[in-house]
Amino acid sequence: MLRIGSKLKIVRIGSYITYSSLKKIGAGILESFRGVIDEVELSHHNSPVVESIDALLLTMILDEEYGGHTLGITDADLKTADEDEFYNSILGGKNPKNDVAVVSTNKLAPMTIASDEEYNLFIDRTLKVSLHEVGHNFGLTDHASYQPASDGLLCPMSRGEFNKFGYRGYVKVIIDGRGSKFCNECTDFLNNVYGRSEASKQILKDALVA
């Protein structure tokens, strides 16, 4: 299990997300995990351009090259070994054998990105999926129900049912419905397990690390 004051490495794989947007995602994760994550380090992973990659393989590559608590954000579609075609492409996932989680932006973009509003929606969705996967790294589990947080929005760990909406409907209903605050159940878990203090110092490194 990760320790309090953990450092999170956010690794961009691809270039669809700008560096300034990557910083925004990092700052959002720091705020939501205040008192649990103290430092976020941004980096870029040089890799061949691919349309899809096995999610488990990507977590293993990132663990070998970066180690520790890592979140990979990729343009590529994340594939799994599930025989059901509906479930063999995922928005994000975590390797249970290490502290690496991955997020795909492939299905998070609106139909068009022709305005700042549409691009901001895309980044907001990426942040919300990132919060969900980082939550798994800290031991938080999925809410099958639509669990609200104190702000009235869905807890980042709310999952719902994929096959009820289809992917595009799922993104609009579940991902867009999530907020950045955790529900009481998740908050109590983080407080009890990690004894988090919201007064802790936080650092977002302001340069990509080679």
Side-chain angles (χ1 to χ4, degrees):
M1 182 172 286
L2 293 167
R3 61 179 177 79
I4 190 169
S6 175
K7 172 181 176 179
L8 172 66
K9 302 170 188 176
I10 300 180
V11 182
R12 180 179 64 180
I13 306 122
S15 58
Y16 201 52
I17 291 180
T18 65
Y19 173 52
S20 61
S21 295
L22 197 68
K23 287 177 61 179
K24 181 178 178 181
I25 292 168
I29 292 173
L30 274 176
E31 181 60 31
S32 293
F33 286 94
R34 180 174 291 276
V36 178
I37 298 176
D38 282 351
E39 181 178 345
V40 165
E41 179 180 279
L42 308 177
S43 60
H44 176 79
H45 180 74
N46 291 314
S47 63
V49 177
V50 294
E51 291 186 1
S52 64
I53 187 170
D54 181 84
L56 184 61
L57 174 61
L58 181 57
T59 63
M60 294 168 65
I61 292 171
L62 294 175
D63 185 49
E64 182 176 339
E65 297 202 17
Y66 296 90
H69 187 197
T70 302
L71 171 69
I73 301 178
T74 178
D75 303 348
D77 194 17
L78 292 174
K79 308 299 283 188
T80 72
D82 199 302
E83 293 181 1
D84 188 330
E85 186 176 352
F86 189 82
Y87 292 98
N88 68 9
S89 176
I90 59 175
L91 299 175
K94 181 221 175 334
N95 190 330
K97 295 184 178 180
N98 55 39
D99 295 318
V100 179
V102 287
V103 169
S104 169
T105 64
N106 186 268
K107 292 183 173 68
L108 298 177
M111 294 296 288
T112 61
I113 302 183
S115 66
D116 289 342
E117 182 179 5
E118 290 169 333
Y119 182 76
N120 289 336
L121 175 61
F122 166 62
I123 296 303
D124 189 54
R125 287 172 172 174
T126 304
L127 170 59
K128 290 174 179 179
V129 177
S130 297
L131 290 174
H132 184 94
E133 299 308 332
V134 171
H136 282 316
N137 267 355
F138 282 104
L140 297 178
T141 57
D142 291 333
H143 302 315
S145 61
Y146 306 112
Q147 193 98 344
S150 59
D151 57 4
L153 299 173
L154 294 179
C155 174
M157 301 311 296
S158 291
R159 186 172 184 272
E161 300 176 21
F162 283 107
N163 56 0
K164 183 176 181 180
F165 303 103
Y167 265 107
R168 190 157 293 280
Y170 182 85
V171 168
K172 289 183 177 180
V173 174
I174 304 298
I175 306 301
D176 288 348
R178 290 176 186 165
S180 59
K181 294 181 180 296
F182 290 98
C183 66
N184 290 339
E185 178 183 331
C186 291
T187 299
D188 288 346
F189 177 87
L190 293 174
N191 290 344
N192 292 334
V193 174
Y194 295 97
R196 70 173 183 171
S197 167
E198 295 196 357
S200 62
K201 183 179 179 180
Q202 295 181 305
I203 301 171
L204 175 62
K205 289 202 171 177
D206 197 25
L208 290 179
V209 177

